[in-house]
Amino acid sequence: IRDVAKQAGVSIATVSRVINNKGKIKQETETTVREAIKKLNYIPNKVAQGLSNQRSNAVAFILPSISNPFFPEMARAVEDVAQQHGYHVFICNTDDKREKVLNYLDNLATHYVDGIILNSHIIKEADLEKLRNNNISIVMMDRVLEHEETTAFAVKNRAGGRKATEHLLDVGCKRVAHISGVTDIPTAQDRMWGYLDVVGTLPWYDTSYISRSDFTVEGGYQAAKELFMRHPEVDGIFAGNDLMAIGALRAAHEWGKAIPNELAIVGFDGIDMSALTTPPMTTVQQPIYELGELAMKELLGHMNDEAYEAKTVNLDVELIIRETTMRTQQN
Ligand code: RIB
């Protein structure tokens, strides 16, 4: 920027005003400066710009696992809305590790972004205070910290767990098991509670019908095999997300179980892949795109100083019935 000022015969402040379209500048001065920028092929540094005028027009979407299709589908919506409003999006994968989340918050947030969409169950209110003190806007989504200070968008996970489990009983399953996600994650916990709301008081039920897993395909595969060994009579499985349901489907095929008549399976999320399994998976569809859209629109409102009222919004989920539960005969 110093070379541009020298080339144009103006001050650095004048060049900065031309770059940021700020303040009154004579047309001939602006022309001279822009010619110098072109001649020297100068590209303004967004970070420096952000520091100088305190706006970076960038946001961060901090998410737990880039390898789970659920989150990229959500990121699609965040980026679509951000781009429509001239914002760049940093996608930050944390692998659900607290030190990675804090590292992102310390680095990105205090230097390069105007706002953050946070999908993380390992964050604490004190961590968010630090962001607010740096005038960083925050919206949480999916795995949220219920706090009156922070706006959060999630879904009715417990009701979704009930819908999945009731559906399995409705199609004639006599023994329904649950493969849960990591149960210190609120979304996994609430889905498990939904399952227990339906079967927890039935005479056959005990805790051995729950196999705890980790929201991955491999985890679902191993958990299903454990269930088959522990309870060969199980004829219905509700898995806490689609990846684990896909793993359970693979285990069922390996064990020669006819789907759905010997074993019916329901997943949760409604990722695109759930429609592509053999047979296609019944699942509880989350409004993934809508969640991302609402969260980004809320963040825009907050960053542009509209009246910001913290709120928690829990969206409905929908049971999408496909072939893994369309039983043609009762056993
Ligand atoms: O599939 C990953 C899961 O973690 C999703 O169900 C989502 O709700 C998140 O909590």
Side-chain angles (χ1 to χ4, degrees):
I1 193 169
R2 190 173 298 106
D3 298 341
V4 169
K6 192 172 174 192
Q7 171 73 27
V10 299
S11 70
I12 288 174
T14 301
V15 175
S16 177
R17 280 200 300 276
V18 169
I19 294 169
N20 293 304
N21 297 313
K22 285 207 162 143
K24 294 235 174 298
I25 303 160
K26 281 191 287 187
Q27 185 56 51
E28 63 186 293
T29 306
E30 180 169 353
T31 306
T32 309
V33 170
R34 292 203 182 281
E35 281 167 359
I37 287 173
K38 195 170 178 183
K39 180 178 172 62
L40 297 175
N41 193 24
Y42 170 65
I43 299 169
N45 178 318
K46 276 287 179 197
V47 172
Q49 256 191 334
L51 291 176
S52 65
N53 62 19
Q54 298 308 310
R55 304 292 291 173
S56 65
N57 283 354
V59 298
F61 176 26
I62 299 180
L63 55 86
S65 166
I66 200 75
S67 55
N68 179 329
F70 175 85
F71 299 106
E73 286 187 30
M74 188 171 259
R76 171 81 268 169
V78 170
E79 201 207 20
D80 285 350
V81 175
Q83 293 282 334
Q84 287 158 16
H85 294 80
Y87 279 84
H88 306 293
V89 182
F90 290 103
I91 304 286
C92 306
N93 173 55
T94 65
D95 294 325
D96 257 346
K97 290 184 172 49
R98 180 165 168 78
E99 64 273 14
K100 281 192 81 173
V101 176
L102 296 181
N103 186 31
Y104 275 124
L105 296 183
D106 287 346
N107 290 292
L108 264 178
T110 47
H111 298 301
Y112 308 132
V113 297
D114 300 332
I116 291 182
I117 296 182
L118 194 49
N119 186 335
S120 169
H121 72 287
I122 40 189
I123 206 71
K124 302 199 179 348
E125 184 49 34
D127 305 320
L128 301 184
E129 268 320 296
K130 193 172 171 187
L131 295 171
R132 287 195 189 88
N133 296 340
N134 278 286
N135 194 27
I136 304 288
S137 305
I138 311 155
V139 166
M140 291 196 78
M141 172 163 62
D142 178 44
R143 300 178 188 182
V144 301
L145 181 71
E146 302 272 344
H147 194 276
E148 68 274 5
E149 287 280 305
T150 307
T151 280
F153 292 92
V155 301
K156 294 172 181 168
N157 287 292
R158 185 163 185 164
R162 284 198 294 270
K163 280 182 185 180
T165 311
E166 284 162 354
H167 175 60
L168 287 164
L169 295 177
D170 291 348
V171 298
C173 296
K174 299 287 181 291
R175 294 286 185 278
V176 175
H178 177 53
I179 297 176
S180 81
V182 180
T183 44
D184 66 352
I185 298 175
T187 52
Q189 217 164 53
D190 288 346
R191 291 165 204 167
M192 184 172 71
W193 283 119
Y195 162 79
L196 289 171
D197 288 343
V198 177
V199 303
T201 54
L202 295 181
W204 55 264
Y205 172 78
D206 72 37
T207 54
S208 62
Y209 280 92
I210 292 179
S211 196
R212 295 178 190 274
S213 183
D214 59 0
F215 277 147
T216 66
V217 173
E218 182 60 24
Y221 171 74
Q222 296 301 342
K225 291 199 295 183
E226 277 172 30
L227 282 169
F228 299 160
M229 284 185 281
R230 201 161 61 225
H231 286 293
E233 77 285 3
V234 162
D235 58 357
I237 289 180
F238 161 42
N241 80 336
D242 287 337
L243 293 186
M244 295 191 297
I246 290 166
L249 187 60
R250 190 179 116 212
H253 287 320
E254 275 183 12
W255 281 57
K257 290 184 181 287
I259 303 289
N261 289 335
E262 288 175 356
L263 178 72
I265 302 177
V266 179
F268 201 109
D269 286 348
I271 57 175
D272 294 344
M273 206 186 296
S274 66
L276 305 176
T277 53
T278 302
M281 185 73 72
T282 293
T283 186
V284 178
Q285 175 77 60
Q286 293 202 55
I288 304 173
Y289 193 91
E290 186 184 357
L291 273 170
E293 208 174 21
L294 287 171
M296 187 60 219
K297 284 178 178 172
E298 185 72 16
L299 186 66
L300 285 165
H302 183 40
M303 289 188 296
N304 295 294
D305 293 334
E306 288 170 28
Y308 177 71
E309 287 294 315
K311 61 189 172 200
T312 295
V313 176
N314 287 307
L315 301 177
D316 288 321
V317 290
E318 181 190 359
L319 182 69
I320 307 294
I321 299 174
R322 301 191 182 111
E323 292 173 46
T324 56
T325 57
M326 289 180 185
R327 299 178 103 195
T328 52
Q329 64 193 40
Q330 305 300 327
N331 286 344

